[in-house]
Amino acid sequence: MAYKIAVVGGKDIVTAFQLIGFDVYPSYTAEETRRTIDKLAKENYGIIYLTEELADLIPDTIRRYDGLPTPAITLIPTNRGTEGIGRNRINDNVEKAIGSNILQGGD
């Protein structure tokens, strides 16, 4: 089964991804983003790239999909830079999987 890839975020962000062949879904509010993510999850999307800005609005929805094999929701920064949410999620998942966070460097 071939999974599809989608990008959800502001129109200024998702347009660039459309040029490389990803399905794009402009979204601006928490409710609109939540509905879009739920719809894509039912439509055979294996990966959903979501801007950190929107992910910050729907943490419960993100957590709900964290426990499922698909879709994998991957957070991406916006043109205003990263908020660190995506990196923090990766660190948390590594720590959960192996018992310690091997990705964080010492000070």
Short mmCIF file of all heavy atoms in Angstrom, two decimals, residues 37 50 54-56 58-67 73 75 89:
data_model
loop_
_atom_site.label_atom_id
_atom_site.label_comp_id
_atom_site.label_asym_id
_atom_site.label_seq_id
_atom_site.Cartn_x
_atom_site.Cartn_y
_atom_site.Cartn_z
N ILE A 37 -6.30 17.35 9.83
CA ILE A 37 -5.49 16.21 10.27
C ILE A 37 -6.35 14.96 10.36
O ILE A 37 -5.96 13.88 9.88
CB ILE A 37 -4.81 16.51 11.63
CG1 ILE A 37 -3.83 17.67 11.51
CG2 ILE A 37 -4.14 15.26 12.20
CD1 ILE A 37 -2.61 17.41 10.68
N LEU A 50 3.43 19.19 9.47
CA LEU A 50 2.59 20.21 10.09
C LEU A 50 3.49 21.29 10.67
O LEU A 50 4.48 20.98 11.33
CB LEU A 50 1.76 19.56 11.21
CG LEU A 50 0.88 20.45 12.05
CD1 LEU A 50 -0.24 21.07 11.20
CD2 LEU A 50 0.29 19.67 13.22
N LEU A 54 1.05 25.68 14.03
CA LEU A 54 -0.27 25.06 14.12
C LEU A 54 -0.28 23.91 15.13
O LEU A 54 -1.27 23.71 15.84
CB LEU A 54 -0.73 24.57 12.75
CG LEU A 54 -1.10 25.65 11.76
CD1 LEU A 54 -1.43 25.05 10.40
CD2 LEU A 54 -2.25 26.49 12.27
N ALA A 55 0.81 23.17 15.20
CA ALA A 55 0.89 22.06 16.16
C ALA A 55 0.73 22.58 17.58
O ALA A 55 0.12 21.90 18.43
CB ALA A 55 2.21 21.33 16.01
N ASP A 56 1.24 23.76 17.84
CA ASP A 56 1.13 24.36 19.16
C ASP A 56 -0.33 24.62 19.54
O ASP A 56 -0.67 24.67 20.71
CB ASP A 56 1.93 25.66 19.19
CG ASP A 56 2.24 26.13 20.59
OD1 ASP A 56 2.39 25.28 21.49
OD2 ASP A 56 2.34 27.35 20.79
N ILE A 58 -2.87 22.58 18.65
CA ILE A 58 -3.65 21.33 18.76
C ILE A 58 -2.84 20.20 19.42
O ILE A 58 -2.76 19.10 18.88
CB ILE A 58 -4.18 20.89 17.38
CG1 ILE A 58 -3.02 20.67 16.39
CG2 ILE A 58 -5.18 21.89 16.82
CD1 ILE A 58 -3.43 19.89 15.14
N PRO A 59 -2.27 20.41 20.59
CA PRO A 59 -1.43 19.38 21.20
C PRO A 59 -2.16 18.06 21.47
O PRO A 59 -1.57 16.98 21.34
CB PRO A 59 -0.93 20.02 22.49
CG PRO A 59 -1.93 21.10 22.79
CD PRO A 59 -2.41 21.57 21.44
N ASP A 60 -3.44 18.12 21.83
CA ASP A 60 -4.19 16.89 22.10
C ASP A 60 -4.35 16.05 20.84
O ASP A 60 -4.26 14.82 20.89
CB ASP A 60 -5.56 17.20 22.70
CG ASP A 60 -5.45 17.80 24.10
OD1 ASP A 60 -4.41 17.61 24.75
OD2 ASP A 60 -6.42 18.46 24.53
N THR A 61 -4.60 16.69 19.72
CA THR A 61 -4.73 15.97 18.45
C THR A 61 -3.41 15.32 18.08
O THR A 61 -3.38 14.16 17.66
CB THR A 61 -5.20 16.93 17.33
OG1 THR A 61 -6.44 17.50 17.70
CG2 THR A 61 -5.34 16.19 16.00
N ILE A 62 -2.32 16.03 18.25
CA ILE A 62 -0.99 15.48 17.94
C ILE A 62 -0.72 14.26 18.82
O ILE A 62 -0.29 13.22 18.33
CB ILE A 62 0.11 16.55 18.17
CG1 ILE A 62 -0.14 17.78 17.33
CG2 ILE A 62 1.49 15.96 17.90
CD1 ILE A 62 -0.13 17.58 15.86
N ARG A 63 -1.00 14.37 20.12
CA ARG A 63 -0.78 13.23 21.03
C ARG A 63 -1.62 12.03 20.64
O ARG A 63 -1.18 10.89 20.75
CB ARG A 63 -1.08 13.65 22.47
CG ARG A 63 0.09 14.29 23.17
CD ARG A 63 -0.16 14.40 24.67
NE ARG A 63 -1.23 15.32 25.01
CZ ARG A 63 -1.11 16.63 25.08
NH1 ARG A 63 0.05 17.20 24.84
NH2 ARG A 63 -2.14 17.38 25.40
N ARG A 64 -2.84 12.27 20.18
CA ARG A 64 -3.72 11.17 19.79
C ARG A 64 -3.09 10.34 18.67
O ARG A 64 -3.15 9.12 18.67
CB ARG A 64 -5.08 11.72 19.35
CG ARG A 64 -6.07 10.65 18.99
CD ARG A 64 -7.50 11.16 18.87
NE ARG A 64 -7.69 12.55 18.55
CZ ARG A 64 -8.05 13.00 17.34
NH1 ARG A 64 -8.23 12.17 16.34
NH2 ARG A 64 -8.24 14.29 17.14
N TYR A 65 -2.45 10.99 17.72
CA TYR A 65 -1.84 10.27 16.59
C TYR A 65 -0.45 9.74 16.91
O TYR A 65 0.05 8.88 16.21
CB TYR A 65 -1.81 11.15 15.34
CG TYR A 65 -3.20 11.32 14.77
CD1 TYR A 65 -3.90 12.51 14.92
CD2 TYR A 65 -3.83 10.26 14.12
CE1 TYR A 65 -5.19 12.65 14.42
CE2 TYR A 65 -5.11 10.39 13.62
CZ TYR A 65 -5.79 11.58 13.77
OH TYR A 65 -7.06 11.70 13.28
N ASP A 66 0.17 10.22 17.99
CA ASP A 66 1.49 9.72 18.37
C ASP A 66 1.45 8.22 18.66
O ASP A 66 2.44 7.52 18.43
CB ASP A 66 2.01 10.45 19.62
CG ASP A 66 2.62 11.79 19.29
OD1 ASP A 66 2.88 12.07 18.10
OD2 ASP A 66 2.84 12.58 20.24
N GLY A 67 0.35 7.71 19.16
CA GLY A 67 0.25 6.31 19.51
C GLY A 67 -0.15 5.40 18.36
O GLY A 67 -0.27 4.19 18.54
N ILE A 73 3.10 12.31 12.14
CA ILE A 73 3.01 13.76 12.06
C ILE A 73 4.38 14.33 12.41
O ILE A 73 4.88 14.14 13.52
CB ILE A 73 1.92 14.31 12.99
CG1 ILE A 73 0.55 13.76 12.55
CG2 ILE A 73 1.93 15.83 12.98
CD1 ILE A 73 -0.61 14.16 13.42
N LEU A 75 6.72 17.71 12.59
CA LEU A 75 6.60 19.16 12.70
C LEU A 75 7.73 19.86 11.96
O LEU A 75 8.87 19.42 12.00
CB LEU A 75 6.61 19.57 14.17
CG LEU A 75 5.56 18.89 15.05
CD1 LEU A 75 5.59 19.46 16.44
CD2 LEU A 75 4.17 19.02 14.45
N ARG A 89 9.89 17.19 20.52
CA ARG A 89 9.14 15.94 20.31
C ARG A 89 10.09 14.80 19.99
O ARG A 89 9.92 13.69 20.48
CB ARG A 89 8.14 16.10 19.16
CG ARG A 89 6.86 16.79 19.57
CD ARG A 89 5.93 16.99 18.38
NE ARG A 89 5.79 15.87 17.50
CZ ARG A 89 4.86 14.91 17.63
NH1 ARG A 89 4.01 14.95 18.63
NH2 ARG A 89 4.78 13.93 16.76
#
